[in-house]
Amino acid sequence: MKGIFIGGFFSFLLFFIFPAQTNALQVTIDGEEQAFEQNVIIENGRALLPMRALFEAIDAEVYWDQAQQEVSASMGEYSLVLPINRTEAFVNGQVKQLDTAVKLVNGRTFVPLRFVSQSIGAEVNYEGDTQQIHITTEPKVKGEPPAEQLPSIAGIELGEDIGEVDALVEEARRITTSAYDFNWHTYHNQYENFIQVGVNAEEEIVALFTNEPTLWADSLPAYLQEAEMNQLFGDSISRIDKNGVSYQYEEKEEWSIHQFEDTYLTAFYDLQNEREVTGMKLIDADVKKEKDGFYGDPSTELQEAYEWQMLDLLNAIRVKHGIEPLTWHESAARIAKAHSEDMAENSYFAHDNLDGQSPFDRMRAAQIDYVRAGENLAVGQISSIYATEDLLNSVTHRQNILNADFTHVGIGVAHEDDKPYFTQNYVTPTK
């Protein structure tokens, strides 16, 4: 038997696929086709363009520092510094990570097109059918949006009566409780077009969540990044006042919270894909403020709800990546539950328990025969949604989530006071 991919964790993946013949790519800037002396370079699925030609085409100023071996550019309020052969850049003085390094080729500096363009406030879109890259230097979404730009999800808006929403023509696949005063109604078509709808006792929709970007595309661009979210809805807030008490939220790379009129919007980011928005949650401000503390009141019902919600979230992510959904494994779930309870009761966080047993030891003790297995852990996240998004942004945990060789999963949740512990046990049983 073999065990793979385990790692601890505290706390729509979109890549442009370009053709092998780079000279087939065409670049337009504000609708005008560009002709560059050097061909576009494709590396790791990313397009690199000659920087000087690109920036001069958009009226930016470009400088080369021979001593420091770095190129810089400025355009309006934006400044950009790119060291050669390094995977970091400086945007308005702040360090940003690149997944493809800037490089010199035949005396020309080639830069990652999408990163550089969006760092100066431009939009970049790739059309696979025409093999064109479109750069728009004046994006459509800027500044404070009017009220109608608050996104709907699948055409559904907060405040609607769930019985009157035409988009929800089928019965919910699952109804589970939440830490708020509403239940989550989960809808999907074999985990495609996944959406969770928060419904209160009066049948009013007070919360929405999806991890499918196309479901908010009728009101916002489907593939947003963090900078665009900030342009639309202002900077992320870090504090929410509830009943005279101010709650400070830890700054997280994985998500941001924005307040728009009487709604809180949380955007979840894919840190491994240039901080694209991979999920979006809307919740009525009054409903959010009514919840006690950060986590709400823990209960057995809430723990079970988190377990089933996490199964659905994992499967929606897998299906979006073309991977078969996981089947619930009851024995693995019991082991996961016991480990979460042990960590909560004894205030530790580790794969090995206090008796030195690994996840695989615990599975063997429960007589689970498997050909491969793995475990993901998370602690302290606000809910199953936040825990799943955090795990997806960790390289090793993402490998477990997106491992096509895993066929089953068991999930267990427990609380230490009100803080949740999440354990996911992945298995492929012996046939």
Side-chain angles (χ1 to χ4, degrees):
M1 294 182 289
K2 182 180 179 183
I4 59 174
F5 297 132
I6 57 175
F9 189 75
F10 277 99
S11 20
F12 172 156
L13 185 61
L14 172 71
F15 289 99
F16 291 160
I17 305 300
F18 295 100
Q21 298 298 321
T22 59
N23 55 12
L25 287 172
Q26 294 180 333
V27 178
T28 66
I29 299 178
D30 293 330
E32 295 186 8
E33 186 173 334
Q34 304 296 308
F36 299 115
E37 293 181 5
Q38 299 83 18
N39 288 337
V40 177
I41 294 175
I42 305 302
E43 184 171 299
N44 299 325
R46 296 288 190 251
L48 283 79
L49 265 68
M51 183 169 178
R52 182 172 294 278
L54 171 63
F55 273 80
E56 288 179 349
I58 58 177
D59 296 324
E61 297 181 354
V62 186
Y63 308 91
W64 167 249
D65 188 327
Q66 178 67 30
Q68 297 296 324
Q69 287 288 290
E70 61 185 27
V71 64
S72 61
S74 61
M75 180 179 177
E77 62 185 290
Y78 301 100
S79 65
L80 184 63
V81 178
L82 295 155
I84 301 299
N85 295 326
R86 288 168 56 184
T87 56
E88 63 181 18
F90 300 87
V91 181
N92 290 343
Q94 295 186 345
V95 179
K96 303 291 183 180
Q97 295 300 313
L98 304 172
D99 55 12
T100 302
V102 177
K103 56 183 62 217
L104 282 175
V105 179
N106 297 325
R108 305 285 185 178
T109 304
F110 281 75
V111 296
L113 166 65
R114 179 167 181 158
F115 173 85
V116 168
S117 298
Q118 292 184 334
S119 293
I120 59 165
E123 285 183 353
V124 180
N125 292 290
Y126 171 65
E127 291 185 358
D129 53 348
T130 61
Q131 297 190 0
Q132 290 185 330
I133 302 171
H134 300 286
I135 302 172
T136 305
T137 60
E138 296 184 0
K140 296 179 181 178
V141 290
K142 276 192 175 182
E144 289 296 320
E148 60 264 28
Q149 282 192 260
L150 181 69
S152 61
I153 293 178
I156 305 167
E157 297 182 355
L158 299 187
E160 294 184 287
D161 188 300
I162 191 163
E164 298 177 358
V165 177
D166 293 336
L168 303 177
V169 295
E170 297 182 355
E171 293 292 324
R173 296 296 186 107
R174 199 187 308 279
I175 299 177
T176 50
T177 191
S178 74
Y180 301 91
D181 191 20
F182 65 77
N183 289 331
W184 281 118
H185 293 225
T186 301
Y187 298 85
H188 58 84
N189 179 16
Q190 302 299 315
Y191 289 107
E192 294 182 346
N193 298 322
F194 181 86
I195 182 173
Q196 290 182 206
V197 181
V199 183
N200 66 14
E202 289 74 38
E203 297 294 300
E204 179 187 4
I205 297 174
V206 294
L208 292 164
F209 171 78
T210 185
N211 56 15
E212 176 48 68
T214 60
L215 293 185
W216 64 71
D218 60 337
S219 53
L220 288 175
Y223 301 110
L224 290 162
Q225 290 185 305
E226 181 181 22
E228 294 166 308
M229 288 298 301
N230 292 336
Q231 287 176 350
L232 280 166
F233 301 108
D235 292 337
S236 176
I237 63 174
S238 60
R239 187 182 71 187
I240 295 179
D241 296 325
K242 304 181 186 180
N243 301 319
V245 179
S246 181
Y247 291 89
Q248 190 77 25
Y249 284 77
E250 178 187 1
E251 290 188 11
K252 297 281 288 183
E253 288 188 305
E254 294 86 352
W255 46 269
S256 61
I257 302 176
H258 307 264
Q259 184 169 10
F260 184 83
E261 297 182 351
D262 58 353
T263 301
Y264 286 107
L265 184 156
T266 303
F268 298 92
Y269 302 110
D270 189 340
L271 303 187
Q272 299 181 44
N273 189 27
E274 298 184 345
R275 302 189 65 78
E276 277 192 348
V277 180
T278 187
M280 196 173 293
K281 175 188 169 187
L282 304 174
I283 186 168
D284 179 89
D286 289 337
V287 172
K288 188 173 183 67
K289 290 179 179 180
E290 288 171 0
K291 185 180 75 169
D292 293 332
F294 286 108
Y295 302 110
D297 295 325
S299 66
T300 300
E301 183 184 14
L302 183 61
Q303 292 170 2
E304 292 177 354
Y306 283 169
E307 291 160 4
W308 290 110
Q309 290 164 14
M310 186 168 270
L311 172 69
D312 290 336
L313 291 162
L314 292 175
N315 281 338
I317 292 167
R318 286 170 67 92
V319 168
K320 188 164 59 177
H321 286 81
I323 303 169
E324 288 294 315
L326 297 161
T327 300
W328 185 262
H329 194 288
E330 189 60 37
S331 295
R334 285 195 295 269
I335 296 169
K337 181 77 167 183
H339 189 56
S340 288
E341 290 175 341
D342 188 47
M343 289 189 293
E345 290 171 5
N346 294 287
S347 298
Y348 74 96
F349 183 71
H351 289 289
D352 289 358
N353 63 22
L354 298 182
D355 295 326
Q357 287 183 315
S358 72
F360 312 112
D361 294 330
R362 296 191 290 272
M363 291 182 195
R364 285 190 287 266
Q367 298 182 336
I368 298 177
D369 294 326
Y370 60 85
V371 293
R372 58 180 50 84
E375 180 175 85
N376 283 350
L377 301 178
V379 63
Q381 288 81 1
I382 298 172
S383 71
S384 54
I385 293 173
Y386 289 80
T388 303
E389 293 290 338
D390 278 4
L391 290 168
L392 188 64
N393 274 306
S394 165
V395 174
T396 54
H397 299 88
R398 190 184 187 107
Q399 289 174 339
N400 277 347
I401 293 171
L402 299 180
N403 189 334
D405 292 329
F406 285 139
T407 60
H408 293 70
V409 69
I411 300 167
V413 179
H415 284 85
E416 177 185 9
D417 297 325
D418 60 354
K419 181 175 68 177
Y421 287 74
F422 302 85
T423 300
Q424 301 171 347
N425 282 340
Y426 296 83
V427 294
T428 301
T430 302
K431 294 182 180 179

